[in-house]
Amino acid sequence: MAKAFGPVKISGTLDELNFYITADGNIVRVKGKTGNTKKSFKENPVFTPMKLHSKDFGLCAKKGRVFRQLVKAFYDHAKDGSIAGRTNQLLHAIIKEDLVHERGERQLHTGLQSAAALEFLTGFEGNKGRPLPTVLKKKIAFNWEKRAISIKTIHPLQDIDWPAEAIQVHFQIAIANWDCVNDAYETVYSNEIVFEKKTGVCPLAFELAPLENKDLWLAFIHIKFSSRIYNTLKVLPRRFNTTTLLAARIFEL
């Protein structure tokens, strides 16, 4: 590609040359030679890093679709438009923890064996506009042995950041086992606990069955709000609600 200089600007085709008028000037290129060909992209080593990155990121996109299914019932009520991209970014950070395989051949399950990978997972938000520390004013942790959160009681009016139109808050937790090698998962949801906005101190008593398989365990908390329209209670749109990954535990392969 080259630029044509002169008092007259040319647009169109002259012999084997194509002329274009753009914001960058009068551009000219040889007809039919519009850039890199499939052959040059395949054979030119300068494109190797790009191809390896694409291979890694493609795997993350595939695994990310499964990841978002782990607690789909939660994400259906609490997520933002960036969740797919943020999931892919999260998994790409984890796959880079695979120091066994070469770039382009790295595996998610190998990267998950690092301590850093579990830290990356912890705190992942389904809705970054309503992160858990903003919605819930109490610190919270998850105990795998007891299958329970650290908070035993809550004062809804004092401990929760309420959307203006909300009159009820819904709490639920879930644990999932993710076999990311075979793209299989198992999810167990707790009972849902609902509180009115102006109630006093209330117990948080969740019942949660154990998981059968042991690959990667992930614990989630879901907080959503509802309002009353005439005599009907309606859950608020997803942007008001929260789904957060509380804890992760990996088992040896």
Side-chain angles (χ1 to χ4, degrees):
M1 184 177 66
K3 280 188 177 182
F5 295 93
V8 179
K9 292 186 177 181
I10 305 172
S11 177
T13 301
L14 179 62
D15 293 330
E16 295 299 316
L17 301 177
N18 288 330
F19 292 83
Y20 306 89
I21 299 173
T22 72
D24 296 323
N26 203 172
I27 306 300
V28 58
R29 57 165 51 116
V30 177
K31 187 177 180 181
K33 297 182 184 276
T34 57
N36 296 306
T37 64
K38 290 183 179 179
K39 182 180 180 183
S40 66
F41 184 76
K42 182 179 180 180
E43 298 178 356
N44 194 332
V46 73
F47 296 113
T48 298
M50 184 187 301
K51 289 186 287 186
L52 295 177
H53 174 81
S54 296
K55 193 172 180 181
D56 279 350
F57 209 82
L59 176 64
C60 293
K62 177 184 176 183
K63 300 298 182 183
R65 287 191 289 270
V66 181
F67 176 87
R68 293 188 295 277
Q69 293 295 313
L70 298 178
V71 285
K72 184 179 182 299
F74 287 177
Y75 286 138
D76 282 348
H77 291 290
K79 66 179 179 181
D80 59 52
S82 70
I83 187 172
R86 292 188 295 107
T87 300
N88 296 345
Q89 187 179 29
L90 167 68
L91 299 185
H92 191 249
I94 293 173
I95 206 172
K96 289 195 292 186
E97 292 295 309
D98 176 3
L99 305 180
V100 177
H101 301 92
E102 296 292 330
R103 189 178 184 185
E105 300 297 329
R106 293 185 291 204
Q107 299 297 317
L108 184 63
H109 62 271
T110 305
L112 280 166
Q113 296 296 323
S114 74
L118 300 185
E119 293 179 6
F120 297 160
L121 286 163
T122 304
F124 179 80
E125 299 286 355
N127 177 13
K128 69 176 184 179
R130 291 279 283 170
L132 183 62
T134 298
V135 177
L136 181 62
K137 299 175 184 178
K138 282 187 168 184
K139 290 186 177 180
I140 187 171
F142 188 83
N143 185 305
W144 285 110
E145 282 66 36
K146 296 180 179 179
R147 301 192 304 278
I149 58 174
S150 56
I151 298 175
K152 303 303 179 186
T153 61
I154 195 164
H155 191 298
L157 191 60
Q158 295 179 3
D159 298 334
I160 299 292
D161 178 56
W162 288 78
E165 58 268 53
I167 64 168
Q168 287 186 339
V169 61
H170 307 241
F171 283 88
Q172 195 172 11
I173 60 175
I175 52 177
N177 179 74
W178 185 19
D179 175 3
C180 64
V181 176
N182 299 302
D183 294 329
Y185 62 91
E186 164 201 6
T187 304
V188 176
Y189 292 93
S190 76
N191 54 306
E192 183 179 86
I193 302 174
V194 184
F195 299 128
E196 296 288 335
K197 185 175 184 177
K198 295 183 179 180
T199 54
V201 176
C202 304
L204 281 173
F206 295 106
E207 297 176 4
L208 201 58
L211 292 166
E212 294 183 5
N213 300 300
K214 293 183 177 180
D215 299 288
L216 170 65
W217 283 0
L218 301 170
F220 298 84
I221 186 169
H222 181 53
I223 304 174
K224 65 185 178 185
F225 298 89
S226 58
S227 62
R228 187 179 299 280
I229 300 177
Y230 300 111
N231 287 328
T232 303
L233 285 171
K234 185 176 181 180
V235 175
L236 295 188
R238 295 180 302 199
R239 67 180 182 274
F240 293 105
N241 306 320
T242 303
T243 296
T244 305
L245 203 166
L246 285 178
R249 180 178 181 181
I250 189 73
F251 294 86
E252 293 293 332
L253 299 176

